[in-house]
């Protein structure tokens, strides 16, 4: 009877190809985005997220073409992130067939952009992506700082405070990635996830570190995430989305079958 | 069948367009209200703020034209805010009025922090807004006696994709075809009156059951 917890495969796209790196570096090729998206849809994915990691702005148009092609064949929600800097970028992605856009660096540079974007397009299509990394504190109380530019630039901003602020500014969802865990297969940073889910009242998507099906379940059960995002466990055929759902259902989690 | 999709600047038109094509029809984008009469089936998407959507609708000359189209008895399907707009008005934007084809208002849903009576609810049982994700729709009891044609081939447990903060509250129970429970909210997920229908969820984003519902709509008549 409850709202189903969502499983969201994430496709990092570089110049039109799906790639996957470890800790934001060491990139491997993982296929054609249209084929990969279609496969996940058939397996029962609840949503698909594309993250455009193309470095050169000359190649930015390729992600628009990817979204157009995927949207004409796949009938579940699509989120696109990477390089969203202005309202016109959001407009272009939504027109191409995306349902939501995910915004990271631009939100940090100009938080008002999130307010404008959600007023203009509705908060349901504005996802704020938060890349957080644990930093040492003298009194050993855990603290996470947010990073921009694909994890390269520290900002000095506290991740929990930032989450609350972004929800207030009009983010419809938060996509929270632990940079300490991303690509490690050690599981989500549950401490980080549970603190953010307790602090905000908008849905939270947990990301970074999934290496097995139990990690997905723990993101919901212990991290209290509304959705779990993973890339490599699905891309390289270790598990299907269907297997992930059967596992989560066994743990008592409501999923869409 | 001639299926038209309203193009007035506030919808996820491409998703709807692609989905209608996928189920075997060749839809036309309708941006001129005078073109409405050429169609037997009209789908109205709508995403965003109620007032913003209604004002665009008025600006493009659709409000009166759509009312006349519906009164003419042809098939109409409103999606999300396109559905909410069928009602008289919305708490989200008290200064504008809806089409008033169905009686009732659109109201904000209730978020809550306390646990729900459900063994399966995680996230500490919190009901968050917006309501984003896949939820099941439950046909109302009168629909069991007189099935809603849009639900042909759709089972009781099947889930659809929702993204919204407001929900319509129909005054006439016979116009409410299916509800969705979300915490203490009783969402009007499917409404129907004669040949006019509305879904709060997004059939164009709801996988195979969503496509089935769109196919059922396009095949009416």
């Amino acid at each position: 009877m409850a709202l189903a917890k969502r499983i969201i495969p994430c496709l990092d796209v570089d110049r039109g190809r799906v790639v996957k790196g470890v800790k934001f570096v060491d990139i491997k090729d993982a296929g054609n985005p249209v084929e990969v998206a279609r496969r996940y849809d058939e397996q029962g994915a609840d949503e698909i997220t594309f993250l455009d990691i193309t470095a050169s702005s000359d190649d930015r148009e390729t992600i628009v073409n990817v979204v157009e092609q995927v949207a004409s064949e796949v009938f579940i929600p699509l989120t696109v992130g990477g390089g969203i800097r202005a309202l016109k970028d959001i407009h272009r992605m939504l027109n191409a067939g995306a349902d939501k856009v995910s915004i990271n660096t631009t939100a940090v540079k100009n938080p008002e952009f999130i307010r404008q974007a959600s007023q203009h397009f509705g908060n349901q299509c504005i996802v704020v992506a938060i890349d957080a990394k644990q930093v040492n504190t003298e009194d050993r109380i855990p603290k996470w700082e947010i990073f921009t530019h694909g994890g390269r630039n520290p900002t000095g901003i506290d991740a929990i405070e930032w989450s609350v602020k972004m929800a207030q500014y009009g983010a419809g969802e938060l996509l929270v990635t632990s940079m300490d865990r991303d690509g490690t297969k050690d599981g989500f940073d549950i401490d980080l996830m549970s603190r953010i889910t307790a602090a905000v009242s908008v849905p939270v998507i947990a990301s970074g570190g999934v290496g097995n099906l139990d990690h997905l379940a723990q993101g919901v059960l212990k991290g209290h995430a509304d959705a779990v995002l993973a890339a490599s466990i699905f891309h390289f055929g270790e598990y299907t989305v269907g297997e992930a759902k059967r596992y989560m259902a066994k743990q008592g989690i409501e999923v869409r079958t | 069948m001639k299926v038209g999709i309203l193009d007035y600047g506030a919808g996820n038109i491409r998703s709807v367009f692609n989905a209608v094509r996928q189920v075997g029809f060749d839809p036309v984008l309708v941006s001129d209200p005078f073109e409405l009469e050429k169609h037997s089936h009209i789908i109205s998407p709508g995403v965003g703020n109620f007032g913003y959507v209604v004002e665009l609708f008025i600006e493009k000359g659709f409000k009166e034209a759509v009312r006349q189209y519906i009164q003419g008895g042809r098939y109409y399907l409103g999606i999300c805010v396109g559905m909410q707009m069928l009602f008289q008005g919305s708490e989200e934007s008290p200064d504008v009025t809806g089409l008033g084809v169905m009686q009732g208002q659109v109201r904000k849903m209730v978020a809550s922090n306390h646990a729900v009576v459900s063994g399966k609810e995680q996230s500490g049982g919190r009901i968050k807004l917006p309501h984003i994700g896949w939820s099941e729709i439950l046909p109302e009891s009168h629909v069991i006696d007189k099935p809603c044609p849009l639900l042909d081939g759709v089972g009781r447990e099947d889930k659809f994709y929702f993204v919204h903060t407001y929900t319509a509250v129909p005054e006439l129970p016979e116009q409410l075809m299916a509800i969705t429970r979300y915490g203490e909210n009783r969402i009007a997920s499917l409404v129907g009156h004669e040949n006019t229908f509305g879904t709060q969820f997004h059939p164009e984003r709801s996988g195979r059951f969503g496509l089935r519902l769109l196919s059922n709509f396009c095949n009416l008549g």
Side-chain angles (χ1 to χ4, degrees):
Chain A
M1 286 305 293
L3 179 62
K5 301 298 173 187
R6 289 167 280 158
I7 296 185
I8 308 176
C10 177
L11 282 57
D12 285 356
V13 180
D14 184 18
R15 286 166 293 179
R17 294 288 293 177
V18 181
V19 295
K20 182 61 196 165
V22 176
K23 288 204 179 185
F24 291 83
V25 290
D26 186 18
I27 305 288
K28 282 199 252 182
D29 188 275
N32 172 316
V34 181
E35 286 167 21
V36 176
R38 201 192 297 133
R39 187 169 76 227
Y40 291 148
D41 178 29
E42 285 162 7
Q43 291 178 5
D46 297 306
E47 233 173 281
I48 295 174
T49 289
F50 297 93
L51 196 57
D52 184 22
I53 60 165
T54 306
S56 149
S57 53
D58 298 346
D59 295 321
R60 286 262 177 233
E61 274 307 305
T62 41
I63 190 70
V64 177
N65 297 332
V66 166
V67 173
E68 281 178 357
Q69 285 177 55
V70 173
S72 66
E73 298 188 30
V74 171
F75 300 97
I76 56 175
L78 306 175
T79 302
V80 187
I84 304 287
R85 294 188 184 86
L87 295 179
K88 68 175 188 340
D89 299 326
I90 301 177
H91 193 75
R92 201 169 62 203
M93 290 306 172
L94 298 180
N95 266 357
D99 298 277
K100 312 178 202 180
V101 292
S102 158
I103 303 166
N104 182 342
T105 303
T106 308
V108 178
K109 280 189 185 158
N110 175 20
E112 280 298 323
F113 180 63
I114 298 303
R115 214 193 292 273
Q116 287 166 11
S118 71
Q119 274 166 7
H120 202 87
F121 300 101
N123 69 350
Q124 80 290 332
C125 66
I126 306 299
V127 181
V128 172
I130 297 175
D131 291 343
K133 192 172 184 172
Q134 191 161 359
V135 288
N136 290 324
T137 55
E138 285 174 9
D139 48 10
R140 292 177 183 268
I141 294 169
K143 187 173 160 56
W144 292 263
E145 183 178 325
I146 60 164
F147 282 67
T148 59
H149 298 86
R152 290 190 298 276
N153 297 0
T155 63
I157 300 171
D158 179 80
I160 317 287
E161 286 168 19
W162 180 245
S163 301
V164 171
K165 181 169 173 178
M166 286 296 95
Q168 282 167 352
Y169 274 53
E173 283 184 296
L174 302 177
L175 165 56
V176 180
T177 303
S178 158
M179 293 170 50
D180 302 301
R181 299 299 180 91
D182 196 55
T184 63
K185 295 184 173 282
D186 291 338
F188 293 121
D189 183 340
I190 295 293
D191 200 7
L192 171 68
M193 297 304 160
S194 59
R195 281 166 199 264
I196 291 180
T197 51
V200 299
S201 61
V202 297
V204 173
I205 305 162
S207 155
V210 174
N212 61 45
L213 301 183
D214 196 52
H215 290 154
L216 294 172
Q218 295 309 320
V220 173
L221 296 172
K222 295 217 179 90
H224 306 303
D226 301 276
V228 286
L229 181 138
S232 57
I233 63 161
F234 298 132
H235 293 339
F236 299 112
E238 283 167 73
Y239 301 101
T240 64
V241 177
E243 284 168 339
K245 288 197 163 178
R246 282 191 288 280
Y247 183 86
M248 287 169 72
K250 263 192 216 156
Q251 312 299 311
I253 298 169
E254 172 111 20
V255 291
R256 175 179 72 110
T257 48
Chain B
M1 316 292 166
K2 210 153 179 305
V3 181
I5 296 168
L6 295 191
D7 178 8
Y8 58 97
N12 224 341
I13 301 164
R14 185 181 279 266
S15 306
V16 177
F17 186 86
N18 287 336
V20 170
R21 272 172 75 127
Q22 182 75 11
V23 297
F25 292 85
D26 199 9
V28 175
L29 295 182
V30 180
S31 52
D32 178 350
F34 292 104
E35 300 281 305
L36 279 174
E37 60 187 44
K38 296 182 179 164
H39 297 85
S40 56
H41 295 64
I42 286 287
I43 301 176
S44 172
V47 172
N49 176 280
F50 186 91
Y52 175 72
V53 172
V54 170
E55 268 160 29
L56 274 177
F57 220 68
I58 294 169
E59 210 173 283
K60 300 278 153 73
F62 274 119
K63 199 172 175 186
E64 206 38 56
V66 161
R67 262 202 208 115
Q68 280 173 17
Y69 170 92
I70 289 173
Q71 276 161 13
R74 275 172 292 172
Y75 296 101
Y76 190 85
L77 173 64
I79 297 173
C80 196
V81 181
M83 172 247 206
Q84 295 178 358
M85 215 162 48
L86 293 169
F87 289 83
Q88 290 163 303
S90 172
E91 257 178 32
E92 188 176 13
S93 315
D95 299 338
V96 301
T97 56
L99 292 167
V101 175
M102 295 196 188
Q103 285 179 48
Q105 291 286 324
V106 177
R107 304 207 182 280
K108 189 166 185 179
M109 293 193 287
V110 183
S112 59
N113 266 324
H114 46 264
V116 186
V117 187
S118 161
K120 280 190 168 179
E121 181 63 35
Q122 277 85 32
S123 267
R126 290 173 68 187
I127 296 300
K128 300 178 174 187
L129 292 179
H131 169 220
I132 299 185
W134 299 78
S135 292
E136 59 204 42
I137 65 168
L138 306 165
E140 288 281 273
S141 53
H142 67 90
V143 176
I144 295 162
D145 306 330
K146 187 173 177 275
C148 175
L150 296 200
L151 293 178
D152 183 46
V154 176
R156 242 191 109 74
E157 304 268 294
D158 295 334
K159 291 183 163 71
F160 290 84
Y161 188 74
F162 289 80
V163 193
H164 64 125
T165 303
Y166 292 79
T167 179
V169 183
E171 276 174 21
L172 305 174
E174 65 271 23
Q175 294 183 352
L176 184 58
M177 298 290 161
I179 64 145
T180 293
R181 292 186 201 282
Y182 184 52
E184 56 195 274
N185 301 291
R186 200 167 172 270
I187 298 163
S189 37
L190 175 64
V191 295
H193 173 58
E194 294 172 352
N195 292 335
T196 301
F197 299 91
T199 63
Q200 181 58 66
F201 53 85
H202 289 268
E204 77 282 10
R205 278 295 177 247
S206 293
R208 64 182 192 280
F209 297 115
L211 292 177
R212 178 64 194 247
L213 188 144
L214 284 174
S215 166
N216 289 343
F217 173 75
C218 295
N219 278 306
L220 288 172

